[in-house]
């Protein structure tokens, strides 16, 4: 994973709450054996609505998405995160996220920024014409209209994003501890089929 | 190690911590890993690219379910009938190839043991109390019904488990949902789950692991508990746990992958300790008076859009929060419903009985009980009964349930996820309205433009017979 320090530019002012992962990427696009090319299916149903933000040329290629509470609820499909990545989105700002989506986003180098509903509302309004900057070093979101909002984040996740850390390589560094656990007799033995 | 009184979640968690970082992130050992074709191809590719192996193929089990056609899979001569959708066929072939390459036990599409991962795990005894279980699917929460800490994960985490047999996690908060009292006539586990999600919302348990306690749970069969735990994710929970008890042990004894002989006795002795301590503290606790839970059904496009079947479609104007009001208006427009319409006036044209939520033998029995000697209504364009596994299918056939479904006008299909997720050919057409025993009613979930009403198997059967959403008690003489 590439290290991530800042994400800056236009932001899709989506705003709606409870955006589920079926809405982010419908099931028809899950029949793939790769991670790439999923932008074509992203928000497919929403994009059929006239005037939707994803087809507005003003936001083309925007690296930030602003949504309502409980973003990414439902299915655990990591394809939803891959579709956002394929759209060029590296930061999602919302009042809250579903646990599974937040984890999947983080594993793909997408930063999930939790801010209060009023702050999100303000940034949604700003995003219509202005630009935003998410800074992972200082843990702030700033705007072209001089807004500044501080956010907090799990320190491990923040460090992983800043370093572009390969988590599997990190865990394999704990090989001795894993082997000790397995040798201690606490793993429920498996009866083969 | 904690010394204060512990919840069941804390006990299982503590027993699986391999390593703990200063920031509180734990490396948690995963005892059991279920793999299916949709969330795993990229994970295996990642292993190959990095030259990594699967650490414990013996603790892993691969089974196809999402894409499989629910039509016959073998010709009379035993040769394979390929999936008609080329992308599905590629994904299914990739799972089979990856399992072989990495030495993972694999249940093939025509095996008597094939089925939905969350039906297969418990019925084989792959899922055991006190274990940690992971699977690249959100409904993995189901396995918590047996007292396993079972969490859904994404593909990157699937790769992490394959390579290391661990996950990097932070502990979740704890939430007790105490279910007390006897359910009323016509009320099943699904009604209780829907009612609960309607009450706490689809983000009501975000950041938490739920433990279900109380007299209702204790009296419930394991299959009913599986339905409850399965729906935990629809309330946003990371997992849903139910302490194992005599019912759990009776269910597991003799299952192919459950311990045998003296190992069994030793295991049960260990499992008896898997309860929350009497003085254990939960971060949140709520109680549901189950006697008050009505047969329930969803009206909108979120699992929290729940009303009693005796009620009506709500008026968005009644929602105080403008964002919620807008969502409710969009939901009604999508569902083609008017505020105030009695639920019983909503005509249905598709019926789906199945899924990891309600595709087990007790679910099929409950539906067949209503269908016995009856026919589906004229307006029903398609009614499907899809057993959750080959074992469920065979059991149902041994009991003559398939005959009841067929005589009623249902299609009796091969096992799989089917119309719940719309990945194979089993879809609700645009504008079609389905009474479904599945778990999600998001826009387009059962096919582009499909409209879904979630309900119990008995209520789905009632809708099939009348052609509209129906209080099952009216058909069983208990209204």
């Amino acid at each position: 994973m590439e290290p991530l320090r800042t994400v800056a530019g236009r932001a899709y002012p989506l705003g709606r709450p409870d955006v589920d992962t079926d809405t982010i990427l419908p099931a028809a696009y899950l029949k793939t054996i790769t991670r790439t090319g999923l932008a074509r299916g992203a928000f497919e149903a929403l994009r059929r609505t006239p005037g939707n933000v994803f087809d507005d040329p003003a936001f083309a290629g925007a690296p930030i998405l602003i949504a309502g509470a409980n973003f990414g609820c439902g299915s655990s499909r990591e394809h939803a995160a891959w579709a956002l990545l394929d759209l060029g989105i590296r930061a999602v700002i919302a009042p809250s996220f579903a646990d599974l989506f937040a984890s999947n986003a983080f594993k793909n180098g997408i930063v999930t920024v939790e801010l209060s509903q009023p702050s999100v509302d303000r940034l949604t309004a700003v995003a219509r014409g202005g630009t935003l900057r998410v800074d992972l070093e200082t843990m702030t979101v700033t705007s072209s209209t001089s807004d500044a909002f501080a956010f907090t984040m799990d320190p491990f996740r923040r460090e992983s994003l800043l370093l572009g850390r390969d988590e599997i390589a990190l865990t394999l560094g704990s090989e001795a501890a894993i082997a000790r656990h397995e040798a201690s007799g606490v793993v429920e033995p498996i009866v083969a089929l | 190690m904690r010394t204060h009184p512990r919840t069941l979640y804390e006990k299982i968690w503590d027993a699986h911590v391999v390593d703990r970082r200063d920031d509180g992130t734990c490396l948690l050992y995963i005892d059991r890993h279920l793999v299916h074709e949709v969330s795993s191809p990229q994970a295996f590719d990642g292993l190959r690219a990095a030259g990594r192996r699967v650490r414990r193929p013996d603790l892993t089990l691969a089974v196809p379910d999402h894409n499989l056609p629910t039509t016959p899979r073998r010709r009379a001569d035993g040769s394979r009938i390929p999936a008609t959708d080329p992308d599905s066929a590629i994904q299914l072939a990739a799972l089979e190839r990856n399992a072989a390459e990495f030495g993972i036990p694999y249940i093939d599409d025509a095996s008597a043991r094939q089925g939905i991962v969350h039906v297969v795990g418990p019925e084989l005894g792959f899922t055991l109390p006190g274990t940690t279980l992971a699977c690249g699917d959100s409904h993995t929460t189901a396995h918590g019904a047996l007292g396993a800490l079972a969490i859904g994960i994404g593909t990157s985490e699937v790769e992490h488990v394959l390579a290391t047999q661990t996950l990097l996690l932070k502990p979740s908060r704890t939430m007790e949902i105490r279910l007390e009292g006897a359910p009323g006539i016509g009320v099943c586990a699904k009604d209780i789950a829907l009612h609960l999600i309607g009450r706490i919302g689809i983000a009501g348990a975000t950041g938490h692991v739920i433990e279900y306690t109380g007299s209702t749970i204790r009296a419930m069969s394991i299959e009913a508990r599986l339905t409850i735990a399965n729906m935990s994710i629809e309330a946003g929970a990371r997992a849903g746990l139910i302490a194992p008890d005599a019912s759990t042990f009776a269910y597991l004894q003799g299952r192919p992958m459950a311990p045998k002989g003296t190992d069994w006795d030793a295991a049960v002795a260990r499992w008896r300790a898997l309860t929350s301590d009497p003085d254990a503290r939960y971060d949140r606790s709520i109680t549901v008076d189950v006697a008050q839970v009505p047969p329930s059904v969803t009206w909108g496009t979120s699992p929290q859009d729940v009303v009693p079947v005796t009620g009506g479609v709500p008026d968005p104007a009644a929602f105080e929060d403008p964002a919620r009001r807008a969502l409710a208006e969009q939901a009604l427009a999508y569902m083609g419903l008017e505020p105030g319409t009695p639920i019983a006036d909503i005509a249905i044209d598709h019926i789906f009985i199945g899924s990891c939520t309600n595709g087990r033998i007790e679910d099929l029995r409950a539906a067949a009980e209503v269908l016995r000697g009856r026919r589906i209504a004229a307006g029903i364009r398609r009614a499907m009964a899809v057993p959750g596994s080959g074992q469920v299918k065979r059991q149902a056939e041994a009991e003559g349930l398939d005959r009841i479904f067929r005589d009623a006008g249902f299609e009796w299909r091969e096992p799989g996820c089917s119309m719940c997720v719309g990945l194979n050919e089993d879809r609700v057409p645009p504008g079609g309205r389905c009474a479904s025993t599945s778990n999600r009613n998001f826009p387009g979930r059962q096919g582009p433009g499909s409209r879904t009403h979630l309900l119990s198997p008995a209520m789905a059967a009632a809708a099939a017979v009348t052609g509209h959403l129906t209080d099952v008690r009216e058909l069983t003489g208990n209204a």
Side-chain angles (χ1 to χ4, degrees):
Chain A
M1 222 161 57
E2 289 299 305
L4 183 83
R5 285 196 163 66
T6 55
V7 184
R10 295 299 300 267
Y12 296 103
L14 180 61
R16 57 193 281 159
D18 291 338
V19 175
D20 60 83
T21 51
D22 277 80
T23 295
I24 299 172
L25 191 75
Y29 296 92
L30 306 188
K31 302 187 214 193
T32 172
I33 57 170
T34 66
R35 284 180 161 88
T36 51
L38 292 172
R40 63 195 163 88
F43 301 104
E44 189 178 63
L46 290 184
R47 286 162 99 163
R48 282 199 286 266
T49 319
N52 76 85
V53 295
F54 298 106
D55 289 335
D56 184 336
F59 303 111
I64 302 169
L65 173 68
I66 310 174
N70 195 32
F71 184 82
C73 59
S75 157
S76 62
R77 58 191 65 173
E78 197 166 318
H79 308 67
W82 299 334
L84 296 183
L85 210 53
D86 202 38
L87 271 181
I89 292 169
R90 296 301 303 274
V92 185
I93 301 170
S96 59
F97 293 88
D99 294 341
L100 272 167
F101 175 81
S103 171
N104 288 339
F106 153 67
K107 307 280 183 195
N108 286 279
I110 297 172
V111 57
T112 51
V113 178
E114 285 193 27
L115 291 173
S116 69
Q117 186 69 58
S119 306
V120 171
D121 290 344
R122 166 67 192 160
L123 291 173
T124 307
V126 168
R128 300 243 162 242
T131 57
L132 305 185
R133 181 184 179 85
V134 175
D135 189 321
L136 202 53
E137 297 261 30
T138 59
M139 291 201 279
T140 53
V141 180
T142 51
S143 77
S144 51
T145 45
S146 305
D147 301 274
F149 299 106
F151 62 92
T152 58
M153 194 178 176
D154 177 71
F156 177 74
R157 285 190 176 179
R158 176 171 170 264
E159 191 179 78
S160 292
L161 289 167
L162 287 168
L163 296 171
R165 186 153 54 195
D166 174 347
E167 284 202 344
I168 295 177
L170 178 77
T171 297
L172 289 171
S174 300
E175 167 59 33
I178 299 171
R180 258 199 314 278
H181 180 88
E182 287 176 331
S184 70
V186 296
V187 178
E188 183 72 52
I190 191 110
V191 175
L193 257 185
Chain B
M1 198 62 175
R2 300 171 240 241
T3 51
H4 60 79
R6 293 183 297 164
T7 63
L8 173 58
Y9 169 59
E10 289 164 334
K11 288 181 185 183
I12 300 176
W13 178 278
D14 289 348
H16 289 83
V17 173
V18 168
D19 216 347
R20 191 182 269 104
R21 297 172 58 87
D22 292 343
D23 60 36
T25 304
C26 292
L27 195 58
L28 204 73
Y29 197 81
I30 301 302
D31 298 316
R32 299 287 186 269
H33 186 195
L34 283 162
V35 178
H36 66 83
E37 76 275 17
V38 180
S39 54
S40 68
Q42 299 83 353
F44 286 111
D45 282 348
L47 292 182
R48 262 189 295 268
R52 290 166 178 155
R53 64 188 175 95
V54 173
R55 183 185 176 88
R56 293 294 302 269
D58 60 318
L59 302 181
T60 314
L61 182 62
V63 57
D65 56 6
H66 284 60
N67 283 272
L68 275 181
T70 54
T71 45
R73 295 160 194 166
R74 290 289 185 279
R75 297 185 189 88
D77 64 4
S79 62
R80 177 171 290 179
I81 303 170
T84 49
D85 181 306
D87 291 335
S88 288
I90 290 167
Q91 208 169 51
L92 290 163
L95 180 68
E96 191 162 5
R97 199 178 54 246
N98 285 324
E101 181 180 334
F102 288 93
I104 293 169
Y106 174 74
I107 297 175
D108 92 19
D109 56 326
S111 162
R113 291 185 164 138
Q114 182 275 327
I116 307 170
V117 274
H118 311 311
V119 177
V120 169
E123 76 182 5
L124 288 181
F126 179 82
T127 309
L128 294 172
T131 59
T132 46
L133 183 148
C135 172
D137 190 273
S138 63
H139 289 103
T140 304
T141 56
H143 306 258
L146 299 177
L149 175 56
I151 55 170
I153 55 177
T155 300
S156 293
E157 289 174 310
V158 169
E159 187 180 341
H160 195 280
V161 176
L162 289 170
T164 70
Q165 207 57 36
T166 63
L167 280 170
L168 281 161
L169 295 170
K170 272 224 166 61
S172 302
R173 293 188 293 279
T174 53
M175 181 172 182
E176 179 189 30
I177 294 182
R178 179 166 284 279
L179 302 175
E180 291 289 3
I185 289 167
V187 175
C188 341
K190 183 63 163 291
D191 299 295
I192 297 169
L194 288 172
H195 175 84
L196 175 69
I197 295 157
R199 176 171 151 186
I200 69 173
I202 56 170
T206 299
H208 292 75
V209 165
I210 295 171
E211 183 183 345
Y212 297 95
T213 64
S215 59
T216 319
I217 282 285
R218 290 293 136 234
M220 259 186 196
S221 72
I222 297 304
E223 296 200 352
R225 293 180 194 182
L226 282 158
T227 299
I228 298 270
N230 172 282
M231 292 293 282
S232 302
I233 184 66
E234 306 312 335
R238 202 75 175 90
L241 270 171
I242 297 171
D245 58 13
S247 302
T248 319
F249 310 146
Y251 172 91
L252 284 169
Q253 192 162 20
R255 303 236 168 222
M257 300 182 85
K260 308 278 183 291
T262 52
D263 290 345
W264 170 259
D265 299 335
V268 171
R270 277 200 316 278
W271 296 340
R272 286 191 196 285
L274 293 168
T275 57
S276 288
D277 293 330
D279 304 330
R281 298 264 300 275
Y282 299 90
D283 294 306
R284 287 171 64 197
S285 222
I286 69 164
T287 300
V288 178
D289 178 0
V290 172
Q292 302 304 312
V293 175
S296 299
V297 56
T298 60
W299 56 268
T301 53
S302 166
Q304 72 189 12
D305 298 340
V306 176
V307 284
V309 69
T310 51
V313 175
D315 186 347
F319 289 72
E320 277 181 31
D321 175 7
R324 296 279 156 209
R325 193 177 315 136
L327 273 189
E329 282 164 1
Q330 286 167 22
L332 289 189
Y334 181 85
M335 294 296 288
L337 295 172
E338 292 297 324
T341 305
I343 294 296
D345 287 357
I346 300 172
I348 295 292
D349 45 51
H350 283 71
I351 307 286
F352 174 63
I353 294 174
S355 86
C356 61
T357 309
N358 282 126
R360 298 177 184 83
I361 191 69
E362 289 175 17
D363 300 314
L364 297 180
R365 285 177 191 150
E369 196 52 44
V370 176
L371 293 172
R372 192 185 302 274
R374 293 183 166 117
R375 288 276 309 165
I376 60 173
I380 303 292
R381 288 155 63 188
R382 201 164 185 201
M384 292 177 84
V386 184
S389 73
Q391 308 234 56
V392 171
K393 183 167 187 267
R394 251 167 298 280
Q395 173 81 30
E397 288 168 353
E399 295 178 16
L401 304 185
D402 59 316
R403 182 62 36 219
I404 294 172
F405 279 105
R406 282 201 172 102
D407 288 351
F410 269 75
E411 299 170 47
W412 180 249
R413 314 278 293 197
E414 294 299 313
C417 299
S418 183
M419 211 180 254
C420 167
V421 66
L423 265 173
N424 70 356
E425 302 76 11
D426 308 345
R427 290 192 200 106
V428 178
R433 189 181 296 280
C434 185
S436 179
T437 65
S438 57
N439 40 53
R440 290 192 175 129
N441 53 344
F442 299 140
R445 170 76 182 184
Q446 296 191 282
S450 61
R451 294 159 166 169
T452 301
H453 295 275
L454 302 175
L455 31 52
S456 77
M459 292 266 287
V465 168
T466 63
H468 55 84
L469 293 174
T470 299
D471 187 339
V472 67
R473 295 170 298 193
E474 290 177 13
L475 293 184
T476 52
N478 302 107

